[in-house]
Amino acid sequence: MIKILIIFLVLVGGFFLGPLLQFNQGSAVFIIANYKISMSFNSFVILELLAILCLYLFAKILKKIFNSKTMLGNWLRFNSPRKSVKRIEQAQILLLEGDYQQAAKLFMKSAKGATNTTLSYLLAAQAQIDNDQFISANQLLEQAAKNCQPREKFAFKLVQLRLQIKNKEYDTAKTSVESLLNEKPRNAEVLRLADELYYQIGDYQAVIELLPIMYKVKAYSESQLEQLSQTAYIGRIKQLSTDSDPLALIKWWKSQPRAILNNISYQKAMANYLKQLGQIAEAEKILTSIRT
């Protein structure tokens, strides 16, 4: 940009200095409908520069009006809060129909005339996440961040976390999850996203630690929680069976609540893995408790 400005100034300077050095300002003649207008070349250049300046100022004023949130600005660019609401409604219908790409486009359009642009960009970003368009979703989140108000921060963080998990940015997502769990430890959606992340990275112990609060806030149905619990405990037993310390599994098992110790599925899994580790005596103890 600076280089272009320097070239432009050199050209303008040449227009002025050239004729002056030749002691001849030259002339410019215009004939319009039998009218003849003549002036010096320097005068013509000055008038042209003034005309360009006026056009530039006029364009800036128009841009200011078109980008304003006033009724005139909305009318001039054919946008209004009412149209934005209609677009959001249409986009929500498309989301239900599974047309994520078109829904994202409508959410983006609604942002131009919406009173809350952050909401429109967040909805568009979520639609793009559902459509696996992660680059576009990240760009929309950047737009949402520009005008994000304190009351919208939590929603913004949730959408951002969903993108991180889907995009397999596990280290970043883990940091985000820990921050959100500290901020809202009983929020069902935070717990569900934390659960999803920990399962993806195979951190079954973290899932086990979340289970009590997930049961309390009913993050999932009872049957889903039972299934999640079984997957987490069996997965953790399998993980510990591969530990270099064969006693690590036994120590962990003995530290579990009575309800877990009396669960037949977990008892059978423990006995099988203990046998593989050569801990026959411990395996027989568990099998005996199952028989009795």
Side-chain angles (χ1 to χ4, degrees):
M1 187 69 185
I2 295 173
K3 289 180 179 178
I4 295 170
L5 180 62
I6 291 170
I7 292 169
F8 178 74
L9 291 173
V10 168
L11 288 172
V12 171
F15 284 134
F16 281 104
L17 294 175
L20 288 173
L21 291 172
Q22 293 293 325
F23 301 104
N24 183 0
Q25 291 191 15
S27 63
V29 180
F30 301 92
I31 299 175
I32 303 170
N34 295 325
Y35 286 97
K36 183 178 180 182
I37 302 171
S38 62
M39 65 184 75
S40 68
F41 184 74
N42 281 357
S43 299
F44 166 70
V45 172
I46 291 169
L47 287 174
E48 189 174 24
L49 289 174
L50 286 172
I52 292 170
L53 178 63
C54 289
L55 283 172
Y56 173 77
L57 292 173
F58 182 67
K60 290 288 282 185
I61 292 167
L62 279 181
K63 187 178 179 181
K64 201 78 172 175
I65 294 171
F66 273 82
N67 290 337
S68 69
K69 296 291 183 182
T70 61
M71 189 181 294
L72 176 61
N74 290 327
W75 180 80
L76 285 172
R77 64 175 178 270
F78 303 103
N79 281 321
S80 68
R82 187 178 296 175
K83 286 183 180 179
S84 293
V85 169
K86 285 183 179 179
R87 283 180 180 140
I88 289 173
E89 289 174 354
Q90 289 171 354
Q92 288 171 331
I93 291 169
L94 289 169
L95 274 181
L96 294 173
E97 294 173 352
D99 192 347
Y100 301 115
Q101 191 65 32
Q102 192 60 33
K105 287 180 180 177
L106 281 175
F107 281 132
M108 283 187 278
K109 281 186 178 179
S110 73
K112 294 177 182 177
T115 53
N116 189 333
T117 56
T118 300
L119 175 61
S120 294
Y121 282 125
L122 284 177
L123 289 168
Q126 184 59 59
Q128 292 292 53
I129 292 167
D130 294 335
N131 197 35
D132 295 331
Q133 299 295 319
F134 304 135
I135 295 174
S136 175
N138 190 59
Q139 291 170 344
L140 289 164
L141 276 175
E142 288 175 0
Q143 289 293 325
K146 290 179 181 178
N147 298 307
C148 192
Q149 301 300 313
R151 63 191 176 89
E152 300 155 350
K153 281 286 184 186
F154 181 62
F156 176 88
K157 289 177 183 178
L158 287 176
V159 176
Q160 189 178 50
L161 177 56
R162 292 187 194 111
L163 175 59
Q164 290 165 354
I165 293 172
K166 269 226 171 185
N167 205 25
K168 296 181 169 45
E169 299 172 25
Y170 293 135
D171 290 337
T172 309
K174 196 171 180 181
T175 303
S176 299
V177 159
E178 288 169 358
S179 173
L180 285 169
L181 284 172
N182 287 330
E183 184 179 341
K184 291 185 181 280
R186 296 178 66 86
N187 182 275
E189 182 60 16
V190 172
L191 291 167
R192 284 190 286 264
L193 288 171
D195 171 71
E196 182 182 347
L197 171 65
Y198 292 143
Y199 268 110
Q200 286 190 26
I201 63 177
D203 191 348
Y204 295 113
Q205 185 58 42
V207 176
I208 290 169
E209 290 169 7
L210 285 178
L211 283 170
I213 188 67
M214 290 178 76
Y215 272 100
K216 282 183 181 178
V217 303
K218 298 180 180 179
Y220 295 105
S221 67
E222 198 74 21
S223 59
Q224 285 177 306
L225 285 167
E226 286 298 325
Q227 189 177 353
L228 291 173
S229 177
Q230 186 164 345
T231 305
Y233 273 101
I234 301 297
R236 186 58 178 155
I237 291 167
K238 185 177 179 180
Q239 277 181 341
L240 288 169
S241 70
T242 61
D243 196 284
S244 57
D245 180 7
L247 297 177
L249 178 57
I250 298 171
K251 290 176 183 175
W252 175 84
W253 175 251
K254 289 181 177 179
S255 68
Q256 299 309 304
R258 187 175 295 277
I260 301 302
L261 295 173
N262 293 333
N263 185 292
I264 294 175
S265 297
Y266 305 154
Q267 287 174 334
K268 287 179 178 178
M270 273 295 299
N272 288 334
Y273 283 112
L274 284 170
K275 283 180 180 179
Q276 291 175 21
L277 292 170
Q279 300 292 323
I280 306 299
E282 289 292 337
E284 283 301 322
K285 284 181 185 178
I286 294 173
L287 290 172
T288 302
S289 68
I290 294 173
R291 295 188 196 103
T292 56

